[in-house]
Amino acid sequence: MNAFRSNIPDKTFEKLNNNGEFTRLAVSPGIINKHYTPAQFQTIAKVVGETGAIKYSASYSILLSIPTVDVDKTIEELENASLYVAKQGPIVAMKACDFCDGDKMEAAPITEKLYHSLVGITVPTRLRVNVNGCASACYNAIYDDIGLVYQKDSFDVYLGAIPMGANAQAGTLFAKRVGVKHIDAFLKRIIELYKEHARPNEPFYKFYRRTKCADYWKDLI
Ligand code: SF4
């Protein structure tokens, strides 16, 4: 019966914030690696302590609720344990598959390059780029704002996914076989269009669906 024991957690983010100020951190072993070490779990347990909370999420990361006063120190401790703490806010963020636990790493170098080039760019609302390393796309790239599915030195690019809610939908194929050499500039142009033409706080899928007949999308292809 453990599956349904304690269904309502004591320390939700909301409950914690009723008695103090807490910040939520999304932590993972990296963009590609999904394996935690026991030492990393020990660090997580230490920084959360008795006051904070730990929760797993749908976005390939663990969410930690940490007293806001300790956030800088906590981030430093987590990073010293080789954990990745995702940047928050209305920026370009990145997800990726685990490239078959590191057995299929063909797209890993370009994924890392894209990370350094794109992550952190300010956009109207948080924009998730999801890179999957083969056509199996088993980490659901096509359900993120920009889905990249790698195939032989190129990417198929999917746009317009509604990632959640009753109307959730996969994105549609926007461009086929964009070469590895061109993908960075291609994605930057998409991000520029979003920044230039989106309404304030307009999510990417709404923006794309509203504007997809505009000439600037045709010019891009
Ligand atoms: S998408 Fe392909 S490369 Fe990535 S984990 Fe799944 S099967 Fe492996």
Side-chain angles (χ1 to χ4, degrees):
M1 283 310 292
N2 279 346
F4 292 97
R5 208 170 52 77
S6 303
N7 284 336
I8 301 176
D10 298 329
K11 290 184 175 179
T12 65
F13 191 59
E14 195 179 337
K15 285 177 187 165
L16 287 173
N17 272 292
N18 287 337
N19 297 314
E21 206 182 318
F22 281 77
T23 297
R24 183 171 270 176
L25 301 176
V27 172
S28 64
I31 298 291
I32 294 172
N33 182 14
K34 313 283 187 250
H35 281 70
Y36 293 83
T37 65
Q40 286 173 331
F41 268 126
Q42 281 167 353
T43 301
I44 288 171
K46 178 173 168 279
V47 300
V48 169
E50 293 299 318
T51 50
I54 307 172
K55 173 185 174 177
Y56 74 81
S57 76
S59 61
Y60 321 161
S61 58
I62 290 181
L63 303 178
L64 311 184
S65 300
I66 302 288
T68 300
V69 287
D70 297 335
V71 160
D72 290 343
K73 189 169 75 76
T74 301
I75 290 175
E76 198 182 329
E77 276 189 67
L78 293 166
E79 288 180 343
N80 286 342
S82 299
L83 286 160
Y84 171 65
V85 183
K87 297 176 180 79
Q88 301 298 309
I91 56 165
V92 177
M94 181 179 267
K95 296 159 76 175
C97 72
D98 63 12
F99 297 108
C100 289
D101 277 340
D103 283 344
K104 261 189 184 174
M105 292 293 275
E106 215 180 311
I110 182 64
T111 302
E112 190 170 343
K113 193 169 168 230
L114 291 175
Y115 174 86
H116 292 298
S117 171
L118 305 177
V119 169
I121 295 176
T122 307
V123 281
T125 63
R126 197 168 177 83
L127 174 70
R128 292 169 184 85
V129 177
N130 190 343
V131 185
N132 280 193
C134 77
S136 297
C138 67
Y139 274 74
N140 292 332
I142 64 171
Y143 278 90
D144 269 297
D145 295 315
I146 300 180
L148 301 178
V149 178
Y150 179 80
Q151 292 182 70
K152 287 190 184 131
D153 295 324
S154 66
F155 287 98
D156 289 348
V157 179
Y158 290 80
L159 302 181
I162 304 176
M164 62 181 88
N167 298 320
Q169 259 180 29
T172 50
L173 183 62
F174 174 70
K176 208 165 169 50
R177 298 285 165 100
V178 180
V180 160
K181 282 187 186 153
H182 305 290
I183 191 69
D184 183 26
F186 191 80
L187 296 177
K188 277 197 177 127
R189 185 68 193 123
I190 292 174
I191 293 164
E192 274 167 23
L193 291 176
Y194 181 37
K195 289 179 74 151
E196 236 174 279
H197 300 285
R199 295 171 177 154
N201 303 321
E202 187 174 34
F204 183 78
Y205 75 86
K206 283 194 180 167
F207 159 68
Y208 177 68
R209 287 168 181 238
R210 176 175 65 77
T211 64
K212 65 182 177 186
C213 294
D215 287 343
Y216 47 74
W217 289 113
K218 292 176 202 136
D219 295 344
L220 188 55
I221 299 174

